[in-house]
Amino acid sequence: MRVSLETKDFAKYPFLKESQQFMLQENESLDKFLQRSAGKVALSHAVERVKRAVAFTGPVPPSFPISDLPSDQLGVRMEITSFVLARVLVSCARERALMERLARYEAQRAHSFIQAEEEEKRKFLAERIGFPLEGLFLPVPRYVELTAGMHEERWRLVNREVTGGKVTINTLESEELLKEQIRKGLLSSLPLEVPESLCSFVAPCTAQVQQEFQKRVLRDFGDVEESSFPPCMQAILSALSGGTNITHAGRFALTAFLHNIGMGTAEIVQVYGRAPDFDISKTQYQVEHISGRGGKGTEYTPPSCSAMRTLGLCIKPDALCGKVAHPLSYYRRKKGKKTGEKPEQGQVR
Ligand code: SF4
C-alpha cells in the first residue's frame, strides 16, 4: 500500500522535509511574516509551545489529543510556524537546557501521534525519521550511538543481549528508540543560526520563556541544600576541602551538578574556594566553560549514575541511590522528601 502524507500530518510532524516544503509554498520571509498579525499570533503560539516544553519534566507524557490539531491549510501553517518559532526562541535564549526540553517535548509529541497511526503509516514515518521499525536487532555501534543519552541501567551495553555484533531489542524498546531518534535529530539541529535582528525582534518573547524556565528550575530545585547532595557529590566536596587533587572528570561532574541545581558562576567558584590550592582565574574559566557562558555556549549536565560508576566517581551509594539513575534526581527527591513535597508526577528518575 502506498502511503502519503495529508495536510494534517504536517501539523503532527512539522520537522519532516515535506512539512517544510508545504510551508515554502508561501514564499514569505519570516521577518515579513512576523510583521503581520498572523505572525504575532504564531509567535504567541510559539511561546506557549516552549512553555509546555518547559513544564514537561518526566516520562509521563502530556496528552496530545488529535482533535486539537488543525486540518485546514491556515491552521496547519500556524502550527508549523509555531514549531519553527519555538526553535528560534530557544536558539536566541542560548540556553542548552531549554533546547533539550524543547527537543524532548517535540519528540514526545510526534511519537504519540505516530503511535496512533496505522501500521503502514507508522513504518513509513519511522523510515522518514531514520529508525525503521523493521527487525529487533541493532548493530552495536548504532545502538551505542542512539542510547548515549539514555541513562537507565537497562540500556547499558553490558546489560544487553548481543549476538553477532547486534543488540537485541524488544518491540517496546524499539518505540522508545524511535522517540530518541526524533529527539536527537531535533536537538542536533539546535541552536539555529538566527540573525541578530530577528533575535532582537523576538527578545520580549525570549525573555518570557527564559523566565518560565528559571521559575521551573527554582521550583524543581529551590534553594541549594548541601545536605541533600548525593553521596558522590558530597565525596567530591569533602575531597576538595581536604586538599585532595580532584580529577578533571570529578571537577566536571561537580560543576555541572552545581550549575544544574541553579547555582551561579560566582557561587560555584566560592565552592572551589574551599580547596587549599584554589586558583580563582583558572577556576572561573573552567566553571564558565562548563556552565555554558564561555566558548561555544554549550551547557553540560552531570554524568548519569552509570557513567559516574564507570568514572569511579560513584562513592558510598546509599538506599536512595537504588531508586535513581541520575545524581540530579537524587537531589530533587531527597530535597522534596525533606520539605514534604510529593515528587511531581512523571518526574525523571
Ligand atoms: S548512585 Fe548515583 S547519585 Fe548515588 S552516589 Fe552513585 S552516582 Fe551519586
Side-chain angles (χ1 to χ4, degrees), residues 230-233 304-305 308-309 313-318 321 324-327 330:
C232 48
M233 297 301 161
S304 65
C305 293
M308 290 285 279
R309 273 191 282 278
L313 291 170
C314 173
I315 314 288
K316 294 193 191 151
D318 61 16
C321 287
V324 300
H326 202 283
Y330 181 105

Side-chain angles (χ1 to χ4, degrees), residues 331-347:
Y331 179 70
R332 199 189 276 130
R333 286 177 78 138
K334 186 153 177 185
K335 200 161 174 274
K337 234 185 227 172
K338 279 191 188 166
T339 54
E341 266 174 42
K342 286 205 179 102
E344 199 168 311
Q345 203 196 8
Q347 207 139 44

Side-chain angles (χ1 to χ4, degrees), residues 130-346:
F131 186 77
L133 292 169
E134 305 266 350
L136 295 171
F137 302 97
L138 268 188
V140 170
R142 173 84 172 110
Y143 176 86
V144 171
E145 181 212 341
L146 197 52
T147 56
M150 300 168 90
H151 302 308
E152 283 173 73
E153 283 294 306
R154 65 190 168 108
W155 295 111
R156 294 181 74 201
L157 195 56
V158 288
N159 296 330
R160 309 298 307 193
E161 189 188 316
V162 182
T163 321
K166 293 194 170 168
V167 183
T168 309
I169 50 170
N170 63 36
T171 318
L172 259 175
E173 288 172 339
S174 75
E175 286 294 336
E176 288 180 73
L177 292 174
L178 170 63
K179 185 163 66 182
E180 180 64 4
Q181 171 77 23
I182 305 174
R183 188 192 73 82
K184 281 192 139 188
L186 290 170
L187 188 60
S188 67
S189 60
L190 290 171
L192 305 174
E193 278 186 31
V194 185
E196 263 321 304
S197 56
L198 182 52
C199 277
S200 303
F201 185 83
V202 300
C205 298
T206 309
Q208 267 189 58
V209 299
Q210 279 174 311
Q211 242 172 41
E212 190 67 23
F213 182 57
Q214 188 58 52
K215 268 200 270 175
R216 189 76 206 187
V217 171
L218 289 176
R219 210 179 115 191
D220 282 354
F221 295 112
D223 295 335
V224 173
E225 221 177 64
E226 213 170 302
S227 58
S228 298
F229 283 11
C232 48
M233 297 301 161
Q234 302 257 19
I236 301 175
L237 276 175
S238 1
L240 198 70
S241 312
T244 309
N245 194 21
I246 311 290
T247 59
H248 174 73
R251 281 175 183 262
F252 170 83
L254 178 65
T255 307
F257 175 80
L258 297 176
H259 172 67
N260 276 271
I261 63 169
M263 278 173 86
T265 306
E267 290 167 289
I268 302 175
V269 172
Q270 254 177 32
V271 170
Y272 279 97
R274 299 172 191 190
D277 62 343
F278 175 59
D279 173 339
I280 188 162
S281 53
K282 199 169 141 198
T283 306
Q284 186 143 5
Y285 170 79
Q286 286 174 344
V287 170
E288 284 188 346
H289 177 73
I290 296 170
S291 311
R293 289 178 190 86
K296 291 180 181 165
T298 308
E299 257 185 297
Y300 297 95
T301 45
S304 65
C305 293
S306 67
M308 290 285 279
R309 273 191 282 278
T310 310
L311 293 164
L313 291 170
C314 173
I315 314 288
K316 294 193 191 151
D318 61 16
L320 182 54
C321 287
K323 296 183 183 153
V324 300
H326 202 283
L328 284 171
S329 311
Y330 181 105
Y331 179 70
R332 199 189 276 130
R333 286 177 78 138
K334 186 153 177 185
K335 200 161 174 274
K337 234 185 227 172
K338 279 191 188 166
T339 54
E341 266 174 42
K342 286 205 179 102
E344 199 168 311
Q345 203 196 8

Side-chain angles (χ1 to χ4, degrees), residues 14 30 34 39 41-54 78-95 98-103 105-106 109 190-192 194 198 202 205-206 209:
L30 199 52
L34 287 173
V41 174
L43 199 51
S44 72
H45 283 333
V47 170
E48 288 313 310
R49 200 166 184 129
V50 183
K51 283 185 178 175
R52 284 197 298 273
V54 166
M78 193 57 85
E79 192 69 33
I80 302 174
T81 317
S82 81
F83 165 79
V84 174
L85 287 171
R87 285 154 53 79
V88 166
L89 292 179
V90 298
S91 300
C92 291
R94 296 193 180 92
E95 188 90 49
L98 199 48
M99 295 174 207
E100 276 170 13
R101 291 246 176 151
L102 183 65
Y105 169 82
E106 292 294 345
R109 177 184 181 277
L190 290 171
L192 305 174
V194 185
L198 182 52
V202 300
C205 298
T206 309
V209 299

